[in-house]
Amino acid sequence: MKKYILSLAAASLFYIPSKACAWYDPDYEYFNLFTQTIIKDKSYLPFLHTYSERFYTAFDHSHIPDENIEAWVKYFHNQLSYPEANYLVTKMNINDLNDLKKGNSNNPLLKKLGNSFYQKYYEGIDYLIEAKYLEPFMAINYIESSDSFYYREKEIDKNATSISYDKTIAALTSLYHAAKNPEIKQRYGYQLVRFNHYTRNYDEAFQAFKKYVEPIQLKGAVYYMALDQFAGVQRGLNMKSDANWNFFQVFMKSKSRKESAFVSMTLSDSASFDNIMKRAGNNEEKNMAYFLLGYSDFTNPIPLMEKMYDIDPGSEVLKVMAARSINELERSYLPTYYYDNNPTSRKKTVDTDPASAQNKAKTETQKQDLSFWQKVVKFFKNLFGGSTADEKSKSNNQADLSDDELLNNPNRLPFYTKNNLYYYSSDDAPIDFLNDLEKFTAKAKEKSTDEYWQIANAYLKFLQKDYKESTEVLNNIKTDNPEYLEEINRMKVLNDIVSQPKITAEFEDQLMAKYSEYFTDKKADQDSTLSRAYSYYDSTPSTADFLKDILANRYFLQGEDGKSFLMNNKLSDLQYNPNSSLVKSVEDFYRKPNKTKFEQQIIAKSIDTVGNIDAFFNIIYGDRAMKLADFEKAKGYYQKTEGFTGIPRFDYDWSHNTNSPKITLAQYEPNQYNGFKNISDLIFGYNIWESYESEATVSMKAEDYSAFPFIKKSMNKFELADALIQLKKIGTGKDEIASKANQLIGNLLYNTSILGYYRQIFVMDIDNSNGGKYDFWNTDKKNPYQYYYKNFTGTPYIEPDNFDLVISYYKKALDHSNNKEQKARILFQMASAEQGKYYQFEVKNPSNIDYSDPQWSEKTKSYDNQMADIKNQKYRTYFTQLKSQYSDTETAQFLMGNCTYFNYFMKR
């Protein structure tokens, strides 16, 4: 027998974005419509919100100026621009500076400045010559310890111990005393502190700071460079609290060293931020301490933001906190995928490993509100008729709904959803603080002159679906800040489109007239500048992508499933989920005359190459008719499949000429099953070994077809349907031939069900290898999608098999057979189909026992016993009959030797 397990891993794949590749980046799981980087103080860009790396990196790093270079620009009295000063200080070769000193420089920049430049700024140039000489050695020497985690090969890099300590100290001290300019003098003091620090002469470094840096009485860039080193020295002296406080000072005052100072703080003191808060004396220090507390613990930022506001409502770091907070909310309001957390859409996976045949069926542990027996009652109520609430809700979401009904639909995007992404722990699961944050920004914008707060407030109103008020706030903003203007214009577009109650043909015309660029690849590329360009493998979620999702959701809620589907998928994707109602809606759009310009240029372009499109649709319809045993209808569809070249699978080859993949339709081998032809007559046979991986001749055995010459060795689907029509006609008789005809029909329906060896034949698949199509779904909905079809290929769903239909044909065969051996085998086939009914029941009634429950073992055992009772009472009818009436047959004995579970059942 097969092994059937309810895979928790598979269930988690359905709910949680799971990326197997190492390049997966959680910052691309939401649309990032509010551009965090519009904050004015760019030195805080690394502290914007991210789950991808330790610090935010999706910005141009040139936006954060180095205060050291700015100090040099000032020292040279602006004779050098910032880029020129940066080149001079960080990139120019030491030899060029020595040549300048000798009066014969060939460097273009130095030649432009002239020889007088050295005469005027000789102290600074001499310092740079000394600094460039020291720089290759300015690294602390690594000392291996017995507890070192990583093995390191012999150190060959230069470090501070690679040069003479005494000579270097003497040279720097002499240069310090000779310098007249206080800033240059302080720079030599910085070098003395740094050199002693990197040679681990901590006491000397400590004294050097006190003797050579502090007395200069300058608190500019050089001082904080030296203070950064001094804090490292204090850490080396185990003065952790003092070190932490000085790193904190560097964090506050430095523009370019905030990241390193923050890392140093966390390394210095496990209680770093609490200690800083205790030492904070003035408002700036207190405000910054609150910011660091909020940065390190971001569950609910509003209380800390209120404290920061009370200290300084105009604080720049308060805007950073607001940007981070909005970003956090966006992850729940604007995910790239919305995952249906409704337990009625969970599924059971069929494991096809034949070696595990003796393992019993297991069920997934999931929390549900209904008790076990309530779920049993609910199942049988649904089994015997009546539409579910979900189906009624879906059927009512049609084009005749009022604007208010459409606007107030609970599934209308965007809305808050608890997408349980992996980067949240159970202790810091997200909460919805949208209303509190909107109130905060409304208060802040009244006191601040920075338009940032108005933009933030308008955006939060957008998330609240108050599009009219959001637009009014945007219209009242007066600014010439280009980043602000770009964000404002984009938000106006969003409000205009998202606030539309219904997407009509007239509105589609407006989209093309006003916003067509947002639905093109070019606009998506432009949007990628607003956030980091994605990896080689994918593209950044853009405004254009978001708007496509919005329209897909709107069409879905309006009942226009075909248009909704094509907003996010290709026509060929229907092969992964050929459920009937969706396919019909897509076909209706395909055949729609007089499409709007938007439908033609945006939606219809998703109708990709599937060979002959009419044949493609007819194959899907014919397959569904076969699953329902409507063979005459199926034959009619198959008759219209001329030009079908196979299920559209694709070959991908890289084109070096275009630097892009070349995609072509895959070509099938002449004797290969392609979705229509080359179907073996074993499809009417029966299992002798339950293994999908084995060759058909190993797993299946042919029946005696001698009475049915119309069954060919190899058939196409038209011929198969014709054979079934003839079998069905013969099966109306009362003799052994009629019995055999019905048995063959039952065999085919079982063999092409989710449990059969030929399960791929009527679900647009090319082989029977395991996959999502072969899951047992526990849904009562005809369409399990709740929002739209974006996750379509990753959430395959086809209509469930009707095992009662299978059993009905076997029952006819059983009733008209007088052969005891044949009846035994028919009963076993009926029992197999009944097992399928049990699996459908089982997946709809999973255990609701929490694994953390201290009585988990006892409750699980009780649950298993209840399920076993139900299985034996309601789903072992034909096993019981086979055991009681046919246990002496050769068929039963053969089955006992080849089916572990049947052997177990017979010996009970």
Side-chain angles (χ1 to χ4, degrees), residues 285-296:
E285 292 171 345
K286 290 178 181 178
N287 216 24
M288 194 62 70
Y290 279 127
F291 169 75
L292 292 176
L293 282 170
Y295 181 83
S296 61

Side-chain angles (χ1 to χ4, degrees), residues 603-652:
I603 305 178
K605 72 178 183 181
S606 294
I607 300 177
D608 62 341
T609 302
V610 295
N612 184 297
I613 294 178
D614 291 335
F616 178 74
F617 283 121
N618 281 307
I619 287 289
I620 294 175
Y621 294 140
D623 286 352
R624 184 58 189 164
M626 291 287 270
K627 296 277 278 187
L628 297 174
D630 193 341
F631 309 126
E632 294 81 2
K633 190 174 183 179
K635 182 180 177 182
Y637 283 122
Y638 291 145
Q639 198 167 17
K640 296 180 286 187
T641 57
E642 184 178 355
F644 182 72
T645 56
I647 295 172
R649 298 297 169 92
F650 299 91
D651 291 328
Y652 297 84

Side-chain angles (χ1 to χ4, degrees), residues 34 326 434 437-439 441-442 445 451-477 487-489 491-492 494-495:
F34 183 84
I326 292 172
L434 173 60
L437 186 57
E438 189 278 326
K439 291 175 184 176
T441 57
K445 73 183 177 72
E451 299 86 2
Y452 172 89
W453 290 112
Q454 292 170 273
I455 296 172
N457 183 249
Y459 185 79
L460 293 170
K461 289 184 180 298
F462 159 77
L463 291 183
Q464 289 177 323
K465 300 187 181 181
D466 192 349
Y467 309 121
K468 181 179 178 182
E469 184 63 27
S470 175
T471 301
E472 288 182 8
V473 173
L474 294 170
N475 287 336
N476 290 328
I477 298 175
E487 183 70 22
I488 290 167
N489 291 336
M491 287 173 59
K492 286 180 178 179
L494 294 175
N495 280 329

Side-chain angles (χ1 to χ4, degrees), residues 634-636 638-641 676 716-723:
K635 182 180 177 182
Y638 291 145
Q639 198 167 17
K640 296 180 286 187
T641 57
F676 181 70
N716 62 36
K717 286 184 175 178
F718 177 81
E719 295 167 329
L720 184 62
D722 185 67

